[in-house]
């Protein structure tokens, strides 16, 4: 049987696209979803939540260990392991908004 | 790398007759000024290259009226082992906030469209707030600025300037091959926006007290969707770029992105005259709010740059570069490297 930490919370490392903003999370709740994790980490990392028109931006978390993008609905305890590294990658437009 | 606000800023809007429309708290993105200030002092060697400096945004009091009226604000950084450093920013940084607030007053019919207004910025001590309980416990473990040592002069002697160089900007050197590839891709996708990710290295010339960037390659942006006015970067775009960067194993980092502006198509759609096209602001040095948003979300560090390939009907393809200057994305000059670089100390 694992200790309390491994059952309820796990440590993770989260970075932005550039790889120059990296944050360590010591207590990601395993019962929470990936979407909830991303939502909270956007604020912690001071990444924009909205595009220039105010519409919400979508970020997907890419799991380095498996080389795949996680679904927001996946449970942290099911998809992730202790020490996993994630990158928050946005769906975002460049364009001539004139 | 935390940013704290001992004061809360607000805008007071006045009608032309001097009557006040009210005081509205300022909500703005302080990250670009924070990033720029930190990088500015790292370039000068006055801050260490790791990100562990705490920062505060403080008001600069108006000299005649005094507190609570502001004439600007200061970003102050403190780092263990270094003297505190600070940079002062003028009132112009609040102009967009004031305009946005005035627009809301127009929508509320408190101001007429086109009506003259003036504004002041005030600041008051922030209320003590209890520390949040629960939630994620995070630590900023961002890497130190990834610089290698090189002499700036060894790049300058093999480079040609492009655009308007500003003495305060970090020098950026772009390989000719990168621009040629961007041009080729722009022409191949003529009529649609296309783009790529810029990668390269940061160099430090300690004797010159300068950090400069070298763009060594562009990774074509795959898994995008584009039209003549939009280019969408998807999570798959970033993942594919990551894979290329890792495969190259050349110690390169992300420096920004480039994309094309098919101005010839925009002009044709709007039936612009040739004379209008030649002076149109969209033809050169145009960087939209959406373009800036990509920088903010994907390349937030102050050394990041963006290149736009301007595809117009009346001239050969030109390139414009944009970067963070004092917290504002501005057009800037750069240097074109005509050969592969070999850094010499």
């Amino acid at each position: 049987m694992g200790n309390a930490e491994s059952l309820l919370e796990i440590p993770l490392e989260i970075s932005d696209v550039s790889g120059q903003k990296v944050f360590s999370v010591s207590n990601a709740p395993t019962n929470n979803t990936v979407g909830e994790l991303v939502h909270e980490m956007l604020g912690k990392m001071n990444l924009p939540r909205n595009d220039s028109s105010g519409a919400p931006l979508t970020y997907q978390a890419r799991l380095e260990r498996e080389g795949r993008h996680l679904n927001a609905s996946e449970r942290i305890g099911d998809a992730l392991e202790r020490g996993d590294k994630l990158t928050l990658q946005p769906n975002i437009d460049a364009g001539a908004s004139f | 790398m935390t940013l704290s606000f001992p004061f809360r800023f607000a805008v007071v809007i006045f009608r032309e007759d001097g009557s006040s429309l009210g005081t509205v708290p300022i909500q703005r993105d302080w990250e670009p000024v924070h990033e720029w200030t930190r990088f500015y002092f790292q370039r000068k060697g006055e801050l260490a290259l790791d990100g562990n400096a705490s920062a505060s945004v403080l008001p600069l009091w108006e000299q005649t009226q005094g507190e609570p009226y502001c004439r600007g604000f200061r970003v102050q950084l403190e780092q263990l082992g270094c003297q505190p450093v600070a940079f002062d920013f003028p009132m112009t940084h609040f102009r967009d906030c004031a305009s946005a607030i005035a627009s809301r007053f127009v929508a509320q019919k408190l101001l007429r469209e086109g009506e003259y207004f003036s504004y002041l910025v005030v600041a008051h001590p922030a209320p003590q707030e209890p520390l949040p309980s629960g939630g994620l416990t995070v630590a900023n473990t961002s890497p130190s600025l990834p610089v290698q040592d090189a002499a700036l002069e060894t790049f300058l002697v093999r480079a040609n300037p492009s655009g308007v160089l500003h003495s305060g900007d970090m020098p950026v050197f772009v390989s000719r091959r990168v621009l040629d590839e961007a041009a080729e891709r722009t022409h191949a996708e003529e009529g649609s926006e296309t783009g790529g990710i810029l990668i390269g290295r940061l160099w430090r010339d300690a004797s010159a007290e300068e950090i400069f960037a070298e763009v060594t390659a562009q990774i074509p942006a795959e898994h995008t969707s584009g039209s003549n006015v939009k280019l969408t970067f998807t999570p798959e775009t970033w993942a594919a770029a990551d894979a290329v960067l890792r495969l190259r194993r050349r110690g390169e980092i992300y420096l920004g992105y480039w994309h094309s502006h098919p101005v010839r198509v925009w002009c044709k759609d709007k039936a612009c005259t040739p004379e209008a096209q030649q002076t149109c602001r969209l033809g050169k040095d145009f960087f939209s709010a959406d373009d800036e948003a990509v920088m903010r979300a994907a390349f937030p560090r102050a050394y990041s740059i963006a290149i736009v390939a301007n595809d117009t009907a009346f001239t050969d393809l030109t390139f414009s570069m944009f970067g963070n200057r004092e917290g504002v994305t501005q057009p800037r000059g750069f240097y074109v490297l005509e050969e592969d670089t070999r850094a010499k100390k």
Side-chain angles (χ1 to χ4, degrees), chain B residues 268-282:
Chain B
K268 189 175 168 191
D269 288 351
K270 289 182 178 293
C272 296
T273 65
E275 294 76 21
Q277 288 181 44
Q278 300 224 15
T279 56
C280 178
R281 70 182 180 95
L282 302 181

Side-chain angles (χ1 to χ4, degrees), chain B residues 29 178 270:
Chain B
D29 184 4
V178 168
K270 289 182 178 293

Side-chain angles (χ1 to χ4, degrees), chain B residues 278-292:
Chain B
Q278 300 224 15
T279 56
C280 178
R281 70 182 180 95
L282 302 181
K284 191 171 170 60
D285 292 349
F286 172 65
F287 204 61
S288 73
D290 285 348
D291 297 342
E292 284 195 49

Side-chain angles (χ1 to χ4, degrees), chain B residues 2 64 97 112 155 186 267 296 320 333:
Chain B
T2 51
T64 47
C97 296
R112 290 187 315 277
F155 284 77
T186 298
C267 296
R296 181 66 180 86
S320 303

Side-chain angles (χ1 to χ4, degrees), chain A residues 1-4 6-7:
Chain A
M1 185 183 227
N3 60 29
S6 66
L7 288 173

Side-chain angles (χ1 to χ4, degrees), chain B residues 38-113:
Chain B
R38 184 174 69 248
F39 187 55
Y40 172 80
F41 287 106
Q42 287 174 326
R43 285 169 62 197
K44 286 158 66 73
E46 294 181 33
L47 272 186
L49 299 181
D50 65 46
N52 298 323
S54 60
S56 306
V57 180
L58 303 168
L60 292 172
W61 302 122
E62 221 282 328
Q63 277 160 349
T64 47
Q65 293 177 283
E67 192 173 348
Y69 301 100
C70 301
R71 60 180 169 81
F73 64 93
R74 169 172 293 173
V75 175
Q76 184 165 290
L77 293 127
E78 295 182 29
Q79 189 177 46
L80 268 176
C82 299
Q83 292 288 323
V85 291
F87 194 91
D88 292 346
F89 294 84
M91 276 284 284
T92 49
H93 277 265
F94 293 116
R95 186 185 299 143
D96 285 350
C97 296
S99 293
I101 291 168
S103 294
R104 296 212 297 264
F105 283 144
V106 168
Q108 294 166 18
K109 303 206 186 310
L110 296 172
L111 269 179
R112 290 187 315 277
E113 182 78 46

Side-chain angles (χ1 to χ4, degrees), chain B residues 240-319:
Chain B
D242 250 3
V244 172
L245 186 68
R246 290 175 193 221
L247 207 59
R248 285 171 66 90
R249 294 185 187 177
R250 296 187 194 178
E252 292 154 320
I253 63 170
Y254 291 111
L255 291 177
Y257 81 110
W258 76 269
H259 75 293
S260 63
H261 281 172
V263 185
R264 64 175 71 230
V265 173
W266 301 344
C267 296
K268 189 175 168 191
D269 288 351
K270 289 182 178 293
C272 296
T273 65
E275 294 76 21
Q277 288 181 44
Q278 300 224 15
T279 56
C280 178
R281 70 182 180 95
L282 302 181
K284 191 171 170 60
D285 292 349
F286 172 65
F287 204 61
S288 73
D290 285 348
D291 297 342
E292 284 195 49
V294 176
M295 293 294 287
R296 181 66 180 86
F299 309 107
R301 291 290 186 240
Y303 58 74
S304 302
I305 47 97
I307 294 176
V308 171
N310 307 296
D311 183 20
T312 63
F314 56 86
T315 186
D316 292 339
L317 196 76
T318 61
F319 292 98

Side-chain angles (χ1 to χ4, degrees), chain B:
Chain B
M1 222 169 358
T2 51
L3 188 59
S4 66
F5 297 89
F7 289 81
R8 294 284 186 262
F9 293 85
V11 170
V12 188
I13 300 280
F14 299 93
R15 288 194 188 87
E16 192 170 7
D17 63 7
S19 59
S20 166
L21 276 165
T23 303
V24 180
I26 285 174
Q27 290 175 323
R28 59 160 290 167
D29 184 4
W30 296 93
E31 191 77 353
V33 293
H34 176 204
E35 286 285 338
W36 183 87
T37 305
R38 184 174 69 248
F39 187 55
Y40 172 80
F41 287 106
Q42 287 174 326
R43 285 169 62 197
K44 286 158 66 73
E46 294 181 33
L47 272 186
L49 299 181
D50 65 46
N52 298 323
S54 60
S56 306
V57 180
L58 303 168
L60 292 172
W61 302 122
E62 221 282 328
Q63 277 160 349
T64 47
Q65 293 177 283
E67 192 173 348
Y69 301 100
C70 301
R71 60 180 169 81
F73 64 93
R74 169 172 293 173
V75 175
Q76 184 165 290
L77 293 127
E78 295 182 29
Q79 189 177 46
L80 268 176
C82 299
Q83 292 288 323
V85 291
F87 194 91
D88 292 346
F89 294 84
M91 276 284 284
T92 49
H93 277 265
F94 293 116
R95 186 185 299 143
D96 285 350
C97 296
S99 293
I101 291 168
S103 294
R104 296 212 297 264
F105 283 144
V106 168
Q108 294 166 18
K109 303 206 186 310
L110 296 172
L111 269 179
R112 290 187 315 277
E113 182 78 46
E115 182 179 351
Y116 172 85
F117 73 92
S118 60
Y119 68 95
L120 290 174
V121 175
V122 296
H124 298 281
Q128 291 282 344
E129 287 173 0
L131 287 172
S133 60
L136 298 174
T137 302
V138 302
N140 190 330
T141 52
S142 298
S144 294
L145 207 58
V147 297
Q148 302 171 61
D149 291 329
L152 178 59
E153 188 56 36
T154 62
F155 284 77
L156 287 170
V157 296
R158 288 177 287 116
N160 294 308
S162 177
V164 179
L165 297 170
H166 189 280
S167 60
D169 288 340
M170 172 195 71
V172 175
F173 297 85
V174 183
S175 156
R176 166 65 68 189
R177 182 170 38 80
V178 168
L179 298 179
D180 289 345
E181 289 177 2
E184 190 180 325
R185 192 166 166 97
T186 298
H187 290 312
E189 303 284 335
E190 187 177 295
S192 278
E193 295 203 8
T194 186
I197 314 302
L198 301 172
I199 61 173
R201 298 183 187 88
L202 290 177
W203 299 100
R204 175 177 54 183
D205 185 331
S207 62
E209 289 184 349
E210 184 59 274
I211 292 172
F212 57 99
E214 177 197 5
V215 179
T216 53
Q218 65 88 28
I219 303 171
E222 304 296 341
H223 307 290
T224 57
S225 59
S227 69
N228 62 340
V229 290
K230 190 168 75 170
L231 178 64
T232 303
F233 294 86
T234 66
E236 288 74 20
T237 308
W238 309 116
D242 250 3
V244 172
L245 186 68
R246 290 175 193 221
L247 207 59
R248 285 171 66 90
R249 294 185 187 177
R250 296 187 194 178
E252 292 154 320
I253 63 170
Y254 291 111
L255 291 177
Y257 81 110
W258 76 269
H259 75 293
S260 63
H261 281 172
V263 185
R264 64 175 71 230
V265 173
W266 301 344
C267 296
K268 189 175 168 191
D269 288 351
K270 289 182 178 293
C272 296
T273 65
E275 294 76 21
Q277 288 181 44
Q278 300 224 15
T279 56
C280 178
R281 70 182 180 95
L282 302 181
K284 191 171 170 60
D285 292 349
F286 172 65
F287 204 61
S288 73
D290 285 348
D291 297 342
E292 284 195 49
V294 176
M295 293 294 287
R296 181 66 180 86
F299 309 107
R301 291 290 186 240
Y303 58 74
S304 302
I305 47 97
I307 294 176
V308 171
N310 307 296
D311 183 20
T312 63
F314 56 86
T315 186
D316 292 339
L317 196 76
T318 61
F319 292 98
S320 303
M321 181 176 284
F322 301 86
N324 184 338
R325 183 186 303 141
E326 295 188 17
V328 180
T329 302
Q330 303 265 24
R332 51 155 297 156
F334 60 100
Y335 295 92
V336 180
L337 278 171
E338 302 292 350
E339 58 181 90
D340 284 340
T341 62
R342 291 290 180 265
K344 296 187 179 72
K345 289 190 181 180

